[in-house]
Amino acid sequence: MEVSSLSITLVSLSLVITLLFAVKRRCLSSNGSVKLPPGSFGWPIMGETIEFLFGKPENFVGERMKKYSPDIFKTNILGEKTAVICGPNGNKFLFSNEQKLFTVFRPHPMQALFRSYKLAAPPPPQAPTPQGQGGEEVKSTMPPGFFKPAALMRYLPLIDSITQQQLQIHWEGKDEVVKVFPLSKTVTLTLACRFFLGIDNPERIAKLVGHFDDITLGLHSIILNVPGTMFYRASKAAAAIRKELVSLIKEKKAAVASGVPMHDILSHLIVATDPTGKYMPEAEIADKMMGLIVAGYSTVATAITFFMKYVGERPDIYNRVLSEQLEISEAKKPRELLSWEDLSKMKYSWNVMCEVMRLVPPLQGTFREAITDFTYAGYTIPKGWKVYWTVSTTNKNPEYFKDPEKFNPSRYEEEEAPPPYTYVPFGGGPRLCPGKEYARLAVLTFIHNVVKRYKWDVVIPNEKILGDMMPTPEKGLPIRLYRH
């Protein structure tokens, strides 16, 4: 009996393996009439998703560029046949052909977590959308010019005030070791909630922090909705945030109806109508706001955290940043808040942040979908394939960045500026990240306030960095503060 059961099991296993290889051969032979990019689709169903999600992004891309082509290669990630277009020429090609050859594509984990994304029609050709983890969803319904410098200029004093308040609450008077990553998340989520949702209730915001962390991780996960998986936790977090946002939307509707003036994105979405005069459903508004906050929260928090790490390890760079910020501070009246002109004087500080984002990109890349067959570098990408853009094809390439592993902010000075299309942390073309100026304001305001108050030492210089798509210091980046 046992032998018979073993035989049946072995035969079944052999049939499954044979079927898998047959499917793999079929996948490899599809589109045989055109010259597809070199590369591999990996295993059936899973493709190369595991390597993509859980290996270092620069290694995933770099190894395949060496093996197949420095210009383009094919793969199968997150259930989609995908062409990865590489290098500065690839970046230029992608940024120049938005809505001509391809359009935005939201990976399946994003569609599953933000449910209304699956129902939304793709953007029309005349309304290209910006890149990001969710930002493209709201561009068509955002208040006109919300992220433009002229609008952000009005919010800068409040950004400065909120940042000072958060440092006062969490770090002032702390002689012991403090952790950077938790504070950076609290600061950026407080800013996002204030400007995107119009709320400034600290308790309400604090409840959301953990949920947004889970969603961010879930966006870069395999869709396996069983307890214990990243996607399961992200699904639960999305449901909790959606419930909170729908409750907030009802409060906002009542406030708007009573005539209370509103100046945040959420209020604008509540009153916006489509061409037929129909209002947006509450669940869809909630998903759009969730996507926008995810895009503007984790990326800015990551940039701030690694600024503190790299600058804390380099006293020479810290001293130059301090000198620049003190010059700005000393020219102002006591308690006077930052102005737009002040930000324009923070050239070296911004160069430092650019180098941080080169070594630890807050956003690894984004997907597009081919809307027609097209040719690049002698290879055909069929309609319906996905196209992946990533900073990993240039950021650490010694051809464009000398000593690429060295932290060197001077490489962004005019006489040494990187070649065109080699440093593109915010994307480019029509899908240039709409939140670029908002992110610049948030990080420079944080730099100004933290540097003029403190010097710090990094407690664990070789702290392990967890996660490859969204880098996170394992211990939260503990530092020891010294008040000036």
Side-chain angles (χ1 to χ4, degrees), residues 1 21 71 87 128 255 279 284-285 327 331 341 383 446 455:
M1 190 71 171
F21 274 104
D71 301 313
Y279 290 100
E284 187 175 343
I285 294 174
E327 186 175 340
E341 291 71 27
K383 178 182 178 181
F446 183 88
K455 192 178 187 327

Side-chain angles (χ1 to χ4, degrees), residues 324-333 342 448 452:
E324 181 176 78
Q325 296 299 338
L326 287 181
E327 186 175 340
I328 293 167
S329 184
E330 289 165 1
K332 303 182 76 64
K333 298 175 184 176
D342 295 329
H448 175 77
K452 75 176 187 177

Side-chain angles (χ1 to χ4, degrees), residues 234-256:
S235 251
K236 292 293 183 184
I241 291 176
R242 190 176 291 111
K243 181 179 178 181
E244 182 69 22
L245 287 175
V246 168
S247 173
L248 179 61
I249 289 165
K250 294 183 186 301
E251 294 172 22
K252 284 276 183 182
K253 281 184 174 180
V256 169

Side-chain angles (χ1 to χ4, degrees), residues 167-188:
L167 287 171
Q168 177 76 27
I169 292 170
H170 298 284
W171 282 4
E172 193 63 30
K174 299 286 180 68
D175 295 326
E176 73 274 18
V177 171
V178 297
K179 294 184 177 182
V180 173
F181 197 42
L183 174 75
S184 69
K185 291 189 293 185
T186 299
V187 170
T188 54

